[in-house]
Each structure stands twice: as C-alpha cells, then as structure tokens.
Amino acid sequence: MSGFFITFEGPDGCGKTSQIPALAEFLRARGVNVLTTREPGGTEIGDQVRRVIMDLRNKGMDARTEILLFQASRVQIVEQVIRPALHAGRVVICDRYADSTLAYQGYGHQTDMTFLRQLLHFATGGLQPDLTLLLDVDVEEGLRRRQKGGGEWNRLDDYEVEFHHRVRAGYHQLVAEEPDRWVMVDAMQSREAIQLELREIILKRLSLD
Ligand code: TMP
C-alpha cells in the first residue's frame, strides 16, 4: 500500500469538519491526489448506520449496540473506500476513525480497552493511520459551538458533560501512548490559525515543505 492515511480526531465541536475541506483544497492545489471521507458513514451502508447511531429518538441504545454499529460502518468504509484509495496511492483524509471508538466507547463509556482493540482489529483488518491530528478543544467550549449551530445536535452530543470530559482525557492518553503517530493542535485558536498549523504539519509529513 503506497498511499498516506491521515485521520482527524477530537471532542465534539473541535471544528475538524470545517477544517478538512479547506485543507483538501490546499493539498489538491499542490498536486496531491486527496480523498476525503468521514466516519461514521462514508458509504451507502455506513450512512444508513450513521442515521441510527445519531438519532435522538434512539436514547434507549445500549452502549454495546453503539460499539457494534460504529464497527459495522467502519468495515464498509475500510473495504470500499479507504483501502482501495490507499492502494491507488492516494492521500486519504478521514474525519474520525478507530481512535474515536477508543476515546468515546472506551474512555467515555468505560468499556474494556483490550476487548475494544481486538474488535477494532477485526473491523479494520489492522489498518492504522500514518498520521492522526487531534484538534483539542475545551469540552464546554466545544459543546457551546455545537449548540450554536455547528451541525445538527445528535444523540452523542446529548451525553452528560462528564462523558465528554472522559473522552477528552482519553484522547490525551492516546496521544501519550503513541506520540509518533499523533500531533495535537490547539483548537481554541482562530479557524485561520488552526488551518495554517494543519497545512504545515501535513506538508512536512508528506515531505512537500
Ligand atoms: P461527528 O460527525 O460530528 O464527528 O459525530 C460523530 C459522533 O460519533 C461524535 O460524537 C463521535 C462519535 N463517534 C463515536 O462515539 N465512536 C466512533 O467510533 C466514531 C467514528 C464516532
């Protein structure tokens, strides 16, 4: 596999979804063959699963159902979108990936991490990102941004604030465990400053600077 796999992670309201299109456009202008996609979703089946996961009416969803639905969507995107693009030598930028399961279902819902890692291996076939960017934002600020209209308020946003604090702390733990793969960006900065920092990091990793 000769492509390059970049994932974006962060607490809700960190702004990654608005940063990715500008970044992809910038890279394309530099001649990079970029594919952007997102989780959950990114395929026809995955988008159907996403609707079930996010629906505020599904408040009765067991945490184990949630874990498995995210993996169902993930299998489809890995096999139908990400692997083929990497095989074709493309740079794939994915808005969330397996680390979201570790942060949200692992740290957030306090599920056994060893089991989750095995499940992730089953879902991804062991496909790991080459680079993961954590857009780190204060939990309350992130949720404020979401409420102010950063996309539709969903079932995950609606979890109690302590859940979101565990997610953010979980991300920090994941960065500490694998510092070579992760780069943490301060998402409390202006949108423009974040974009510049992201461009710099990625150009360097792609040896284009
Ligand atoms: P987003 O598209 O706004 O980032 O929303 C996706 C939500 O789903 C967000 O709250 C994070 C959550 N999520 C998980 O809990 N586990 C996962 O594996 C993934 C991909 C997302």
Side-chain angles (χ1 to χ4, degrees):
M1 218 178 281
S2 51
F4 197 85
F5 184 22
I6 301 170
T7 57
F8 274 75
E9 295 285 350
D12 293 285
C14 68
K16 60 187 170 35
T17 307
S18 63
Q19 293 288 346
I20 291 173
L23 187 62
E25 207 174 300
F26 168 77
L27 291 171
R28 286 189 187 112
R30 302 279 303 238
V32 181
N33 188 348
V34 182
L35 175 85
T36 61
T37 187
R38 69 155 180 190
E39 273 210 36
T43 64
E44 215 167 289
I45 294 171
D47 284 336
Q48 292 175 44
V49 175
R50 180 184 176 97
R51 281 196 285 280
V52 176
I53 294 174
M54 298 301 192
D55 196 331
L56 277 164
R57 289 172 302 182
N58 291 336
K59 284 217 191 286
M61 189 181 293
D62 191 281
R64 287 169 298 172
T65 306
E66 186 181 296
I67 289 168
L68 294 170
L69 287 174
F70 278 117
Q71 307 325 306
S73 168
R74 183 160 295 135
V75 171
Q76 294 302 129
I77 200 175
V78 166
E79 300 308 333
Q80 295 185 337
V81 179
I82 301 175
R83 265 189 214 285
L86 292 174
H87 274 301
R90 302 181 76 180
V91 171
V92 176
I93 300 180
C94 194
D95 185 344
R96 296 197 183 280
Y97 186 59
D99 295 301
S100 282
T101 290
L102 294 174
Y104 283 77
Q105 284 67 52
Y107 289 100
H109 287 315
Q110 298 169 304
T111 310
D112 180 69
M113 296 298 273
T114 306
F115 167 72
L116 276 187
R117 286 184 193 278
Q118 284 169 350
L119 188 61
L120 287 172
H121 196 273
F122 175 74
T124 64
L127 180 67
Q128 284 266 32
D130 298 297
L131 170 66
T132 300
L133 294 145
L134 173 61
L135 265 58
D136 188 45
V137 73
D138 174 76
V139 168
E140 279 81 9
E141 170 61 18
L143 292 175
R144 249 194 315 274
R145 288 182 193 173
R146 294 280 302 140
Q147 271 162 339
K148 268 199 332 218
E152 205 175 314
W153 187 257
N154 63 52
R155 197 180 57 81
L156 279 290
D157 296 315
D158 219 38
Y159 281 140
E160 79 277 5
V161 73
E162 291 73 26
F163 173 89
H164 294 282
H165 278 287
R166 288 196 297 276
V167 169
R168 185 181 182 208
Y171 272 127
H172 292 173
Q173 179 68 28
L174 294 173
V175 174
E177 282 169 18
E178 264 187 285
D180 291 344
R181 173 163 69 89
W182 288 83
V183 179
M184 185 153 80
V185 172
D186 177 8
M188 298 291 278
Q189 304 178 81
S190 71
R191 201 181 269 219
E192 295 74 24
I194 297 169
Q195 179 68 210
L196 285 178
E197 198 172 329
L198 293 173
R199 289 178 183 184
E200 208 173 294
I201 294 164
I202 291 174
L203 287 179
K204 198 159 164 208
R205 289 293 176 113
L206 294 176
S207 306
L208 290 172
D209 56 340

